[in-house]
Amino acid sequence: MDFITSHLVQALAVLGLVLLAVEVMVLGISTFVLLFAGLALLLTSLSMYMEWIPTTWQWALIATTVYTLLTGIVLWPIMKRAQQTPEHSTVSSDLIGHSFVLPEDVAPDKQVTYRFSGIEWRLITNDPIAKGTLVEVVNLQVGELYIQAKETP
């Protein structure tokens, strides 16, 4: 205990780095609590190193609490905005425009799958299309091909 007391600045810095490492590597920056506390411990250590505050346990506790609150207030909106889900965007793929012959009848209310490139795709259409019709992919989402009957020239 005397070793930690005599090296309080270094102990706070190491503990802050450990908390940051756990937050980033283990939790994937998902809780933010360890992130704010780790940054606060590093700021407390820096404040004691620069002799802005006395090097005592009491001041370490007070400064860590204040710095945790400050980093939370400053970084919370940034972190919250970073976690928002992105808007759905249109997918551009080489599959759009791909043509194939339907293996069975397809309708908007009938779930049909089509195996292409080792993946089972769910076929989605707005209009019923008969088996054996040449269709083309007009759009796609994850696991879904949006198809329509291909117009013959």
Side-chain angles (χ1 to χ4, degrees), residues 65-137:
T65 303
V66 170
Y67 284 139
T68 301
L69 291 173
L70 287 176
T71 55
I73 290 169
V74 170
L75 295 179
W76 181 259
I78 297 167
M79 297 298 190
K80 193 71 170 168
R81 191 176 26 226
Q83 281 193 332
Q84 290 178 346
T85 56
E87 298 281 331
H88 288 296
S89 60
T90 11
V91 177
S92 65
S93 171
D94 293 341
L95 282 177
I96 296 177
H98 171 70
S99 300
F100 62 95
V101 176
L102 277 180
E104 59 184 285
D105 293 342
V106 177
D109 58 347
K110 184 178 177 187
Q111 187 169 354
V112 177
T113 58
Y114 173 70
R115 187 165 184 84
F116 178 73
S117 188
I119 299 172
E120 289 287 328
W121 297 89
R122 192 171 68 149
L123 299 178
I124 298 176
T125 181
N126 292 331
D127 304 313
I129 305 173
K131 174 183 177 179
T133 306
L134 183 65
V135 295
E136 72 175 329
V137 178

Side-chain angles (χ1 to χ4, degrees), residues 5 12-13 17-18 34 36 43 45 56 72 74 85-86 114-115 128 143:
T5 305
L12 292 173
L17 290 174
V18 167
L34 295 181
F36 299 151
L43 288 171
S45 176
T56 64
V74 170
T85 56
Y114 173 70
R115 187 165 184 84

Side-chain angles (χ1 to χ4, degrees), residues 1 3-21 34-50 53-65 67-68:
M1 188 68 176
F3 179 78
I4 293 176
T5 305
S6 62
H7 296 91
L8 183 60
V9 175
Q10 293 84 354
L12 292 173
V14 168
L15 183 59
L17 290 174
V18 167
L19 288 180
L20 288 175
L34 295 181
L35 176 71
F36 299 151
L39 289 173
L41 285 168
L42 288 175
L43 288 171
T44 300
S45 176
L46 178 67
S47 297
M48 287 182 175
Y49 178 75
M50 300 296 284
I53 59 175
T55 310
T56 64
W57 280 104
Q58 293 83 7
W59 276 100
L61 183 61
I62 292 169
T64 302
T65 303
Y67 284 139
T68 301

